Amino acid sequence: MEEIWSMFCAESDCISCGGSSFEFLTHPSSCTSHALIIFFNVVLLFMFLITMVKKSSSSRTRDGVMSTLQIVSAVVNGCLGLSFLFFGFWILQEKLRKHHTALPLNLWFQALFQGFILLLIGLTVSIKVKQLPRTPVRLLTILATLFAGFTCVLSLFAAVLNKQVTIKIALDVLSLPGAVLLLLCAYKCCKYGESDDDVIVRNGLYRPLNGEADSKYDGDEDNESVTSFARAGLFSNFSFWWLNSLMKKGREETLKEEDMPKLREAERAENCYVMFLEQLEKQKRKSGFSSQPSLLKVIICCYWKEILISGLFALLKILTLSAGPLLLNAFILVAEGHESFKYEGYVLAITLFFAKNIESVSQRQWYFRSRLIGLKVRSLLTAVIYKKQLQLSNSAKLVHSAGEIMNYVTVDAYRIGEFPFWFHQTWTTSLQLCLALVILFRAVGLATIAALVAIILTVACNAPVAKLQHQFQTKLMTAQDERLKVLSEALVNMKVLKLYAWETHFKSVIESLRKVELKWLSAVQMRRAYNTFLFWSSPVLVSAATFGACYFLKVPLHANNVFTFVATLRLVQDPIRAIPDVIGVVIQAKVAFARIVKFLEAPELQTARVGQKYNTGSVKTAIVIKSADFSWEENLPKPTLRNINLEVSHGEKVAICGEVGSGKSTLLAAILGEVPNTKGSIQVYGKIAYVSQTAWIQTGTIQDNILFGSSMDSQRYRETLERCSLIKDLELLPYGDLTEIGERGVNLSGGQKQRIQLARALYQNAEIYLLDDPFSAVDAHTASSLFNEYVMEALSDKIVLLVTHQVDFLPGFDSVLLMSDGEILESAPYNELLSTSQEFQDLVNAHKETAGSERLAQVTPSEKHLTSVKEIKKSFTEIQYKTSNGDQLIKLEERETGDTGFKPYKQYLSQNKGYIYFSLGFAGHFVFVICQILQNSWMAANVDNPRISTLKLITVYLIIGIFSTFILLLRSLTTVMLGVESSKSLFSQLLNSLFRSPMSFYDSTPLGRILSRVSADLSIVDLDVPFSLIFAVGATMNAVANLGVLAAITWQVLFVSLPTVYLTYRLQSYYFSTAKELMRINGTTKSLVANHIAESVAGSITIRAFEEEERFFSKNLQLVDINASPFFHSFAANEWLIQRLETLSATVLASAALCMVLLPPDTFTSGFIGMALSYGLSLNMSLVFSIQNQCTTANYIISVERLNQYMYIPSEAPEVIEENRPPANWPHVGKVEIHDLQIRYRANSPLVLRGISCTFEGGHKIGIVGRTGSGKTTLIGALFRLVEPTRGKIIVDGIDISTIGLHDLRSRFGIIPQDPTLFNGTVRYNLDPLSQHSDPEIWEVLGKFMDEGSNWSMGQRQLFCLGRALLRRSRVLVLDEATASIDNATDMILQKTIRTEFVDCTVITVAHRIPTVMDCTMVLAMSDGQIVEYDEPMKLMKKDGSLFGKLVKEYWSHMQSAESH
């Protein structure tokens, strides 16, 4: 016992051994007080372990944000603990230096033990207090406070007695406030501790009665699906143990989206958004609501605590890292035989192992927590941007197009989300440099100044480059926006481009924009290459300067100081090399941030002015507009709508008519609050339902589109389907109302889309119905049925405002508004208006005179009585939709599965000499690594060699160094070339593939999927892949070199390092099986977010009209979370892997150190020991950089994989077949022969056209009629080869159209398509994008039909399409429901123009309006994909049982019924 005590407390150290027992006890340096303090600490440790055991047995997790008190307590106690540890180490070092022994243990052991306990308890309780059981944690903190109070009193007493204050006394006194903070934490933050109620809730004895339980009650079922991170304890958190279950699952089977656990509450987008709003309000209150608070400041206020904690881990990492060179110095001294005490080598080896492990844990926590902050910021920004786009004003939409908004989310928010990860790098690099300079000063004295100057010069050279890079990055983003704008416009309107044969032109426009983008891309990448070169060569410059200074200052060079210097430099070089990346990320984030801030400051809709109030019962008039002006754009000299006065009472039906561009749709938009009210007032009372003129359909089932967020009421739903004549259509669809419809309703006809919109409005059961020309897209019978069933019956007691061009419906309305040039000319019932208003008479007469009405009158229906619509209507029977063999149109997004090996890398490198550039870069880096090893070997072999002069030693070292920098320059330049050339090639292939793909691809692929590839994925391929690839190769080479040097010098390490290399390989393959799937799921879920945003931007008016903003916003939050989960688990998996690898590399290093200690002293020269350890110390870091870069590259390369999926879409027939080109004047007659034409849309789907045969003679006017969905538009598609025939052929003027190129075919036909499309640009550009015609020709065409108009309505757009047809002057002209959106007067102009301008052309007209086809030479009637009849219209009408005759009678009766209303 005495021996143990003497080891602990030597007599010489025992203060006042002979003094009074009181003094013996109270002196802070006495052995007894040290023993007492150690005893107290053991008690605390025991209490702490009990608390933790209790915690792990409790299944409860309490997820919450840390309070300020917790953070202060963590910081204070953390600093105190570290101070005690450093104090202990310092005492130990001094003891060893002076006495060459560590005995007695009392002073340094007590300080180290106390520091350890303080760190352990202080940090755990401060951070995890909310998750610890209340009673034990309070007991623990009370004990800690009592103990701290006791030592504090003793120390103060001693200070007074001895009249001096030591470091030990100061630390003892400061430990009291730390303990008090812990006590406060336990009482303040643990007050929400587990009470009886909690236990009851947890055991499921109490659940809230309403279904919408708060998420914390989802306990049992939800706990499984929430990430294990939410339940992780301290050890699990620090070791990423919580991820094991997911990693195991990923190894056993391919992960799918449903395997993704949900995020914790704290990381969910909703939480982040709410927190953001709270902070925003706080900041606004602070600034007194005078100015908009800075977005950056608000985000920092949200996450400052998390930023601070990750910063503390970063600090700990830097401190432990800097201890490495000091230990190396001590090692060389031990190897040279200068041991401070016995077994010093062993102590150093063990210390090295622990230091490396602490460094690893702190760095992993720093990276993980920073990434987590980035994830939250990204989710928050996505939510804020989405919310903003729902409120954008019309003028703001002109500035921020849909493509740009998509870019803000997919590119800018992503770049800002990356920034927090790099944020601490900005200051840690500086701190690391400072610490390195201190270590250097100890090693080489004043020569350090030369190193400092070299570093300052490097940074100074970089400043102008960083400035330029910022400018170029801004230009690059603008160029990217421009390209995306045109590309997304082309993708949306691909059908129109194909019909007009404009793909080549649009493709070349996009290619020219891409060239501009590539110019800025190569400028940005060249600056980055220069940066990389500068910072990678900086260690060479620094060593040149330092050794040069050593020579001139006569500083002696020995193994210990040279390799302390080399080791320090090697540790600093990786952070220094990261500086260009840090600068790049900061610049990208800054540019992205500026763009998002600009978007968020864009003007919003002032919907408050419309004041939609819901107290409908008390108000007589529901819509009141008094002397109001409305204008789409601010400061227009002439408002869009002027002097509007309108009052609409309950149950009133108002029709709005007028010529094209008179402001009808704008009036509805004004009532919705979409158009700013510049003068007068508008009041709207009641819930609104709105049907837009261009149908807006979401991707999803038909049922989802009709319910639109409302709950299912089967009775009302059935009635709605009946009223909207949707029953028959649903029977034809493969899955009935559960059929998935494509984006923008691509797999539905125009009429079906409109009726789904009408059903959506009716199901909402609103009070005011705003219908914007919904009947134009349906045939006469359906229009008549809809008018009677829907408007007159279903909406009998509702307010209806219907914009229409069908004059026949007007008599059924209570009043008719006649609009012209933005004003209401007249407002009165039909008959009154007819007798008083000349303009209205002209409109009605125009309708009666519409081509062919006189013929229509000749065949007046013999029986005047009308078959009631009730009889026509097939009674609804509950349809049990059989599961069809046909599959859903919209496929799940394709993603690769399993390990694709090197396939995506080969795809990337096989572009434009990619392999050559890559090989050059690879060779360059290889030579660079060899040069570095040569440099250090030369130094190790000759530093203590008296025959080699210092000058020669330094000169050879420098020559090798300078040569290696030139090699680096070559590597940087080839990387830029590789990146730019591969990007150029990949994009041009992708663009070709997209423009050459058939329409079926666009029908089954949501736009968001394509857009996320050409925005987010392409941005990654452009900016990130090339450097990431070269760095991955370089870093791996460095790690192999480090391990190689270590093994070459101390070959005995191979016994440890070979198993380690094998384990590393196994760990990595284990990791990749999960990580790759996580990144792929991240890619596909990112498309969901992009798709939802694209749809919401397109349908924002409808969403606002139905007041569904909150539901859409919630859906967006949900999709953001679905996307965030794989991303979160992906970066956590990255840390999981690196942590395990770092532990392995620490083992290798410690083994090497032990070898040096165990083997006889003369085995190694001190130079080679120094070299081995300097490489060994940076082994951890190089291994981390290697794995990190490999993982990053593996994640980035998935973008290449995703681009590649759309690079080989099966393409349409060739654009031009050289050996089979038609004559220049083809078609010269315009004769079209159709032989047994059969068409199906997809291989396994049913036939849509079933054996059609007929001949259209040249110069004839052919009308094609039939009910909705009879195959009319498909026939037109076949003529233009949008779909290829399964069987049969079409011959035009003797040439089989399937034998010539698509461009030759489509450019020779004229078409006015069903959906009129305008592109961004001038009137001239819209009429003639290819610039094939002269200005006089264009003016002549404009003169035939156009008047001026600023905001183009549907009708005006249709006239544009007529202009395009007039300019083309084709022998074959197709009108696909071209007059649907035009009023009768304009229709007359159009028909007259066609009759005169295309007098000897073949005109094929698909029409719903019977008068449109009445003066045709021949009429083709279709039903269910077959020809029912084909003859002259007069003959058909006289024929019994004729389908055409039936349609004419329906149309006639529908006019009669409208007039009788």
Side-chain angles (χ1 to χ4, degrees):
M1 197 66 192
E2 266 181 43
E3 278 176 21
I4 295 171
W5 182 252
S6 65
M7 274 176 71
F8 182 76
C9 176
E11 288 305 313
S12 61
D13 270 9
C14 187
I15 305 280
S16 329
C17 285
S20 70
S21 59
F22 177 69
E23 190 184 347
F24 181 70
L25 184 71
T26 56
H27 201 288
S29 295
S30 74
C31 300
T32 320
S33 70
H34 290 164
L36 204 57
I37 289 169
I38 289 168
F39 171 71
F40 270 131
N41 280 314
V42 170
V43 173
L44 283 181
L45 183 61
F46 181 68
M47 254 325 282
F48 173 74
L49 291 173
I50 291 173
T51 308
M52 292 315 284
V53 168
K54 276 217 164 191
K55 187 234 169 181
S56 61
S57 67
S58 155
S59 64
R60 174 175 50 92
T61 72
R62 220 178 263 96
D63 210 355
V65 182
M66 284 176 64
S67 66
T68 313
L69 179 64
Q70 283 174 276
I71 289 170
V72 172
S73 171
V75 171
V76 170
N77 285 295
C79 291
L80 269 172
L82 284 172
S83 305
F84 269 111
L85 283 174
F86 283 127
F87 180 57
F89 277 124
W90 180 69
I91 295 171
L92 179 62
Q93 189 208 355
E94 287 299 304
K95 243 183 201 328
L96 295 174
R97 195 165 58 83
K98 289 177 185 168
H99 308 295
H100 302 296
T101 175
L103 299 177
L105 304 173
N106 63 339
L107 199 55
W108 65 265
F109 181 73
Q110 180 259 319
L112 282 178
F113 191 52
Q114 192 167 351
F116 168 70
I117 295 293
L118 251 175
L119 267 181
L120 184 69
I121 295 177
L123 290 181
T124 308
V125 172
S126 301
I127 294 168
K128 293 281 179 185
V129 67
K130 292 182 183 175
Q131 295 169 18
L132 296 171
R134 180 160 52 185
T135 313
V137 89
R138 287 186 176 175
L139 197 59
L140 174 69
T141 52
I142 290 168
L143 273 174
T145 312
L146 286 172
F147 157 52
F150 178 69
T151 50
C152 175
V153 169
L154 285 185
S155 295
L156 286 172
F157 197 64
V160 173
L161 281 178
N162 301 324
K163 297 189 175 62
Q164 67 168 19
V165 177
T166 60
I167 295 175
K168 171 82 171 65
I169 289 174
L171 289 175
D172 282 345
V173 171
L174 286 173
S175 60
L176 181 61
V180 171
L181 281 170
L182 274 186
L183 189 65
L184 287 172
C185 268
Y187 276 86
K188 282 270 175 80
C189 304
C190 217
K191 64 183 172 193
Y192 308 111
E194 191 172 60
S195 62
D196 296 343
D197 295 348
D198 285 336
V199 177
I200 292 170
V201 170
R202 205 177 66 230
N203 294 340
L205 300 176
Y206 165 68
R207 298 255 180 218
L209 291 170
N210 61 342
E212 295 174 34
D214 190 81
S215 56
K216 68 181 172 192
Y217 292 118
D218 295 353
D220 306 331
E221 71 277 9
D222 219 20
N223 249 3
E224 282 310 302
S225 58
V226 173
T227 174
S228 325
F229 179 53
R231 301 183 288 280
L234 193 71
F235 170 75
S236 181
N237 250 332
F238 279 172
S239 61
F240 296 96
W241 203 262
W242 55 269
L243 203 59
N244 287 359
S245 54
L246 187 69
M247 300 298 281
K248 189 178 174 194
K249 191 170 193 174
R251 181 67 170 178
E252 287 165 359
E253 57 184 86
T254 302
L255 287 179
K256 295 184 285 296
E257 271 176 48
E258 48 271 24
D259 296 328
M260 285 292 97
K262 290 180 189 156
L263 296 170
R264 294 189 311 178
E265 278 296 319
E267 277 81 51
R268 290 185 195 166
E270 186 177 8
N271 225 343
C272 300
Y273 181 69
V274 169
M275 196 178 192
F276 171 77
L277 290 186
E278 284 171 5
Q279 281 300 336
L280 190 65
E281 273 307 303
K282 267 189 200 170
Q283 295 301 321
K284 275 184 183 169
R285 279 201 297 275
K286 272 187 192 170
S287 62
F289 294 91
S290 53
S291 60
Q292 192 65 19
S294 140
L295 184 67
L296 182 64
K297 191 177 175 188
V298 175
I299 291 175
I300 290 171
C301 287
C302 287
Y303 299 113
W304 69 270
K305 295 171 185 175
E306 285 91 334
I307 294 170
L308 190 66
I309 291 170
S310 56
L312 284 172
F313 280 114
L315 179 67
L316 184 61
K317 187 252 168 185
I318 301 302
L319 294 175
T320 46
L321 182 71
S322 304
L326 299 174
L327 289 168
L328 175 125
N329 190 20
F331 245 108
I332 293 176
L333 291 172
V334 170
E336 288 174 344
H338 307 304
E339 265 188 328
S340 305
F341 60 98
K342 205 180 174 189
Y343 307 131
E344 185 184 7
Y346 298 105
V347 172
L348 286 174
I350 293 164
T351 311
L352 198 58
F353 179 72
F354 281 112
K356 282 285 150 197
N357 276 317
I358 293 170
E359 180 196 323
S360 166
V361 168
S362 50
Q363 189 175 15
R364 299 291 53 83
Q365 287 301 314
W366 159 22
Y367 280 11
F368 173 69
R369 286 162 190 272
S370 299
R371 285 251 189 240
L372 199 51
I373 298 166
L375 172 77
K376 291 178 185 178
V377 171
R378 192 179 81 182
S379 298
L380 174 158
L381 284 174
T382 308
V384 173
I385 292 167
Y386 184 84
K387 192 79 168 175
K388 178 73 181 186
Q389 67 82 20
L390 283 179
Q391 300 159 343
L392 271 193
S393 72
N394 194 57
S395 55
K397 276 190 175 170
L398 298 175
V399 183
H400 305 277
S401 68
E404 285 173 295
I405 293 172
M406 180 69 72
N407 229 355
Y408 299 144
V409 172
T410 54
V411 180
D412 294 327
Y414 169 81
R415 295 275 169 216
I416 294 168
E418 288 289 285
F419 175 66
F421 173 68
W422 298 89
F423 168 69
H424 292 304
Q425 300 265 18
T426 49
W427 64 268
T428 50
T429 307
S430 317
L431 176 66
Q432 208 167 332
L433 281 174
C434 294
L435 288 170
L437 288 170
V438 171
I439 296 168
L440 288 187
F441 188 75
R442 279 195 58 174
V444 292
L446 286 175
T448 310
I449 297 169
L452 182 61
V453 170
I455 291 169
I456 291 169
L457 273 175
T458 310
V459 176
C461 290
N462 175 62
V465 182
K467 200 172 180 184
L468 272 176
Q469 198 176 349
H470 182 265
Q471 284 173 12
F472 293 159
Q473 183 73 31
T474 313
K475 295 258 175 52
L476 174 64
M477 295 304 271
T478 315
Q480 194 180 24
D481 277 350
E482 281 302 310
R483 184 218 358 125
L484 254 180
K485 201 172 178 176
V486 177
L487 183 53
S488 57
E489 192 173 45
L491 292 170
V492 170
N493 302 312
M494 188 52 81
K495 186 174 182 180
V496 174
L497 298 190
K498 287 187 182 298
L499 289 172
Y500 284 121
W502 285 348
E503 312 107 283
T504 319
H505 168 72
F506 266 78
K507 204 173 93 201
S508 60
V509 169
I510 292 165
E511 278 167 348
S512 63
L513 288 170
R514 175 69 176 167
K515 267 188 191 137
V516 176
E517 189 185 352
L518 281 170
K519 183 181 95 179
W520 294 118
L521 175 70
S522 53
V524 167
Q525 297 291 64
M526 282 308 280
R527 299 302 160 279
R528 196 167 161 192
Y530 170 72
N531 255 344
T532 309
F533 163 67
L534 194 66
F535 285 101
W536 275 67
S537 55
S538 63
V540 178
L541 297 173
V542 172
S543 54
T546 312
F547 286 142
C550 285
Y551 176 70
F552 289 114
L553 294 171
K554 303 281 188 290
V555 175
L557 295 180
H558 293 297
N560 63 341
N561 67 352
V562 165
F563 282 100
T564 301
F565 170 78
V566 170
T568 309
L569 209 54
R570 286 187 70 78
L571 289 181
V572 176
Q573 73 187 8
D574 279 329
I576 286 184
R577 284 169 186 173
I579 288 177
D581 284 341
V582 176
I583 293 167
V585 168
V586 171
I587 287 170
Q588 284 175 358
K590 195 177 169 193
V591 172
F593 213 79
R595 285 155 50 83
I596 288 178
V597 168
K598 187 181 168 198
F599 172 67
L600 295 179
E601 286 169 356
E604 294 184 8
L605 276 176
Q606 300 299 317
T607 36
R609 293 184 194 165
V610 177
Q612 296 182 2
K613 297 168 185 155
Y614 286 99
N615 51 345
T616 45
S618 58
V619 190
K620 190 163 169 280
T621 45
I623 301 172
V624 185
I625 308 177
K626 288 183 182 164
S627 320
D629 286 3
F630 298 94
S631 180
W632 282 109
E633 290 176 54
E634 308 258 319
N635 314 322
L636 275 185
K638 183 175 160 190
T640 319
L641 295 181
R642 294 175 304 288
N643 195 24
I644 302 291
N645 286 293
L646 179 65
E647 288 195 7
V648 186
S649 311
H650 290 289
E652 201 174 334
K653 310 267 177 293
V654 180
I656 304 168
C657 58
E659 61 200 19
V660 167
S662 57
K664 304 181 293 296
S665 297
T666 308
L667 179 61
L668 294 192
I671 293 169
L672 286 171
E674 293 291 325
V675 193
N677 172 212
T678 53
K679 193 180 122 191
S681 67
I682 172 168
Q683 291 291 318
V684 181
Y685 303 89
K687 185 181 173 187
I688 293 180
Y690 169 68
V691 175
S692 56
Q693 194 169 8
T694 25
W696 176 68
I697 304 288
Q698 284 180 276
T699 308
T701 63
I702 292 177
Q703 190 182 88
D704 294 342
N705 270 285
I706 295 174
L707 296 179
F708 205 56
S710 304
S711 54
M712 169 61 103
D713 170 347
S714 48
Q715 176 67 29
R716 184 158 58 129
Y717 182 68
R718 199 174 306 127
E719 279 174 21
T720 302
L721 292 180
E722 249 174 78
R723 301 272 192 204
C724 297
S725 317
L726 277 168
I727 306 291
K728 188 162 184 294
D729 301 87
L730 295 184
E731 284 172 355
L732 297 173
L733 291 169
Y735 291 89
D737 64 346
L738 295 177
T739 303
E740 290 268 346
I741 43 185
E743 190 171 21
R744 307 182 306 282
V746 283
N747 48 335
L748 299 173
S749 73
Q752 288 169 328
K753 285 191 263 190
Q754 271 305 11
R755 295 202 308 269
I756 286 173
Q757 281 217 110
L758 286 164
R760 176 204 292 156
L762 180 57
Y763 192 79
Q764 295 303 311
N765 194 20
E767 286 138 349
I768 301 171
Y769 280 77
L770 305 179
L771 313 178
D772 196 351
D773 201 10
F775 303 143
S776 59
V778 295
D779 58 73
H781 164 63
T782 315
S784 162
S785 160
L786 282 172
F787 178 70
N788 291 307
E789 288 279 292
Y790 189 94
V791 179
M792 302 317 290
E793 288 187 24
L795 305 179
S796 56
D797 56 342
K798 311 284 187 189
I799 294 171
V800 179
L801 275 83
L802 172 76
V803 169
T804 185
H805 291 128
Q806 275 104 325
V807 173
D808 0 328
F809 293 138
L810 300 182
F813 285 88
D814 299 319
S815 70
V816 178
L817 296 185
L818 179 62
M819 294 191 71
S820 175
D821 192 25
E823 296 188 41
I824 297 178
L825 291 184
E826 308 274 349
S827 169
Y830 177 78
N831 292 325
E832 191 183 314
L833 204 56
L834 201 54
S835 54
T836 56
S837 166
Q838 184 58 44
E839 286 92 345
F840 189 62
Q841 282 173 22
D842 295 346
L843 198 74
V844 174
N845 293 338
H847 170 64
K848 288 189 174 157
E849 286 165 28
T850 311
S853 292
E854 61 284 357
R855 294 201 194 177
L856 196 62
Q858 289 169 17
V859 202
T860 318
S862 47
E863 65 278 39
K864 271 288 182 199
H865 78 273
L866 209 96
T867 325
S868 103
V869 182
K870 283 269 185 287
E871 292 166 36
I872 296 172
K873 186 185 73 196
K874 176 180 172 296
S875 65
F876 181 81
T877 51
E878 190 74 63
I879 310 162
Q880 288 300 318
Y881 298 116
K882 56 195 182 303
T883 314
S884 133
N885 331 340
D887 51 358
Q888 291 282 27
L889 173 75
I890 302 297
K891 306 280 187 298
L892 279 173
E893 184 164 1
E894 49 294 286
R895 66 181 174 96
E896 306 287 335
T897 52
D899 187 6
T900 50
F902 288 109
K903 193 173 139 201
Y905 296 95
K906 286 176 187 163
Q907 286 162 355
Y908 183 73
L909 293 174
S910 58
Q911 314 296 328
N912 280 4
K913 305 180 189 150
Y915 280 115
I916 298 174
Y917 294 127
F918 179 71
S919 307
L920 283 170
F922 181 90
H925 196 87
F926 183 71
V927 174
F928 175 70
V929 171
I930 297 293
C931 285
Q932 284 205 308
I933 293 174
L934 281 175
Q935 250 190 325
N936 291 320
S937 305
W938 164 261
M939 193 56 96
N942 300 309
V943 66
D944 287 332
N945 185 344
R947 289 196 297 279
I948 303 275
S949 70
T950 311
L951 183 63
K952 186 179 177 186
L953 184 75
I954 293 171
T955 310
V956 174
Y957 185 84
L958 292 190
I959 289 169
I960 302 173
I962 290 163
F963 174 70
S964 71
T965 59
F966 282 113
I967 298 294
L968 260 185
L969 186 61
L970 171 77
R971 190 206 68 175
S972 296
L973 295 176
T974 51
T975 307
V976 175
M977 297 294 286
L978 167 71
V980 173
E981 290 301 318
S982 293
S983 282
K984 195 190 286 180
S985 168
L986 282 167
F987 181 77
S988 82
Q989 286 178 55
L990 179 68
L991 195 64
N992 281 333
S993 171
L994 288 173
F995 271 79
R996 296 289 300 120
S997 57
M999 273 316 295
S1000 57
F1001 168 73
Y1002 290 96
D1003 292 347
S1004 60
T1005 310
L1007 188 62
R1009 284 183 199 172
I1010 308 174
L1011 283 181
S1012 74
R1013 280 170 173 82
V1014 295
S1015 58
D1017 288 315
L1018 193 66
S1019 172
I1020 287 174
V1021 171
D1022 284 350
L1023 288 163
D1024 300 325
V1025 172
F1027 278 100
S1028 160
L1029 187 63
I1030 288 290
F1031 286 165
V1033 170
T1036 308
M1037 241 185 262
N1038 288 352
V1040 170
N1042 287 351
L1043 197 60
V1045 168
L1046 200 58
I1049 295 171
T1050 52
W1051 58 267
Q1052 297 83 354
V1053 170
L1054 287 172
F1055 293 117
V1056 181
S1057 61
L1058 287 177
T1060 307
V1061 170
Y1062 173 71
L1063 275 172
T1064 302
Y1065 170 73
R1066 289 305 302 266
L1067 264 173
Q1068 219 173 334
S1069 66
Y1070 185 80
Y1071 158 82
F1072 270 128
S1073 51
T1074 305
K1076 277 199 167 146
E1077 293 313 315
L1078 287 172
M1079 271 322 281
R1080 286 177 184 136
I1081 294 171
N1082 180 38
T1084 51
T1085 51
K1086 196 187 282 179
S1087 295
L1088 294 176
V1089 178
N1091 202 32
H1092 183 64
I1093 289 169
E1095 272 186 353
S1096 305
V1097 172
S1100 54
I1101 295 183
T1102 306
I1103 295 169
R1104 286 194 291 267
F1106 286 99
E1107 299 191 332
E1108 288 287 337
E1109 295 101 322
E1110 279 311 311
R1111 181 170 68 85
F1112 273 77
F1113 182 56
S1114 301
K1115 173 88 183 290
N1116 178 59
L1117 293 178
Q1118 187 188 342
L1119 290 173
V1120 168
D1121 286 341
I1122 288 172
N1123 175 229
S1125 177
F1127 181 64
F1128 165 76
H1129 288 93
S1130 165
F1131 66 72
N1134 205 341
E1135 305 305 334
W1136 176 93
L1137 172 71
I1138 295 174
Q1139 183 142 48
R1140 278 143 188 76
L1141 295 179
E1142 283 186 325
T1143 309
L1144 289 175
S1145 70
T1147 313
V1148 172
L1149 177 61
S1151 312
L1154 272 174
C1155 279
M1156 293 171 189
V1157 174
L1158 292 169
L1159 295 169
D1162 302 332
T1163 315
F1164 311 104
T1165 68
S1166 54
F1168 279 107
I1169 285 186
M1171 183 173 168
L1173 284 181
S1174 69
Y1175 272 83
L1177 280 173
S1178 56
L1179 178 65
N1180 238 16
M1181 198 174 253
S1182 63
L1183 191 66
V1184 171
F1185 265 69
S1186 161
I1187 301 299
Q1188 222 168 17
N1189 280 304
Q1190 281 175 35
C1191 297
T1192 309
T1193 308
N1195 291 345
Y1196 284 157
I1197 209 76
I1198 284 170
S1199 289
V1200 174
E1201 202 176 81
R1202 281 166 58 77
L1203 289 183
N1204 203 60
Q1205 285 164 348
Y1206 285 176
M1207 271 162 54
Y1208 302 104
I1209 306 161
S1211 68
E1212 293 184 301
E1215 291 191 312
V1216 174
I1217 299 172
E1218 284 302 339
E1219 63 274 10
N1220 209 358
R1221 298 201 68 168
N1225 64 345
W1226 179 87
H1228 48 280
V1229 180
K1231 182 181 179 184
V1232 180
E1233 301 164 67
I1234 302 172
H1235 298 289
D1236 189 25
L1237 187 68
Q1238 294 188 1
I1239 281 183
R1240 53 166 54 99
Y1241 278 110
R1242 295 196 304 292
N1244 52 355
S1245 63
L1247 285 170
V1248 184
L1249 294 185
R1250 309 191 245 176
I1252 286 186
S1253 299
C1254 60
T1255 302
F1256 303 158
E1257 293 298 336
H1260 275 193
K1261 309 288 175 274
I1262 312 290
I1264 302 178
V1265 294
R1267 304 218 186 276
T1268 300
S1270 57
K1272 305 185 295 291
T1273 302
T1274 307
L1275 182 58
I1276 301 304
L1279 191 59
F1280 282 85
R1281 285 177 67 194
L1282 290 180
V1283 273
E1284 296 287 354
T1286 312
R1287 225 177 98 190
K1289 57 186 172 181
I1290 299 176
I1291 295 171
V1292 177
D1293 283 0
I1295 293 181
D1296 180 349
I1297 62 168
S1298 62
T1299 61
I1300 60 172
L1302 290 181
H1303 186 270
D1304 285 339
L1305 169 71
R1306 292 167 183 167
S1307 60
R1308 305 293 178 89
F1309 291 175
I1311 183 163
I1312 304 180
Q1314 194 170 359
D1315 298 322
T1317 304
L1318 292 190
F1319 298 95
N1320 262 324
T1322 59
V1323 171
R1324 189 193 199 299
Y1325 176 74
N1326 267 290
L1327 282 169
D1328 179 29
L1330 312 193
S1331 307
Q1332 291 169 328
H1333 303 279
S1334 66
D1335 282 0
E1337 285 179 89
I1338 288 176
W1339 277 114
E1340 187 191 335
V1341 165
L1342 283 171
K1344 285 178 180 152
F1345 68 90
M1346 282 301 289
D1347 59 349
E1348 62 142 327
S1350 57
N1351 215 350
W1352 306 106
S1353 69
M1354 280 286 275
Q1356 287 164 326
R1357 292 179 205 175
Q1358 202 60 289
L1359 289 173
F1360 254 105
C1361 297
L1362 169 66
R1364 290 171 187 161
L1366 284 170
L1367 278 172
R1368 193 172 267 192
R1369 299 269 173 214
S1370 308
R1371 271 283 173 190
V1372 177
L1373 175 67
V1374 177
L1375 281 76
D1376 189 0
E1377 296 177 18
T1379 57
S1381 306
I1382 300 183
D1383 61 280
N1384 291 303
T1386 316
D1387 191 2
M1388 261 183 74
I1389 300 170
L1390 200 140
Q1391 294 295 343
K1392 202 166 107 200
T1393 310
I1394 290 171
R1395 276 208 298 276
T1396 53
E1397 298 292 327
F1398 296 94
V1399 66
D1400 43 3
C1401 302
T1402 307
V1403 179
I1404 302 168
T1405 308
V1406 173
H1408 286 142
R1409 289 189 186 176
I1410 293 300
T1412 312
V1413 294
M1414 279 312 289
D1415 68 338
C1416 287
T1417 327
M1418 304 285 276
V1419 168
L1420 175 74
M1422 293 180 68
S1423 176
D1424 291 339
Q1426 290 173 311
I1427 293 182
V1428 180
E1429 52 203 8
Y1430 178 49
D1431 211 334
E1432 292 172 25
M1434 297 310 292
K1435 285 184 183 171
L1436 286 179
M1437 288 198 294
K1438 288 174 180 154
K1439 188 172 133 194
D1440 281 341
S1442 151
L1443 172 67
F1444 179 63
K1446 209 167 168 187
L1447 290 168
V1448 172
K1449 282 177 190 162
E1450 273 169 16
Y1451 183 78
W1452 186 261
S1453 60
H1454 137 81
M1455 275 181 70
Q1456 302 267 334
S1457 74
E1459 282 176 17
S1460 67
H1461 264 293

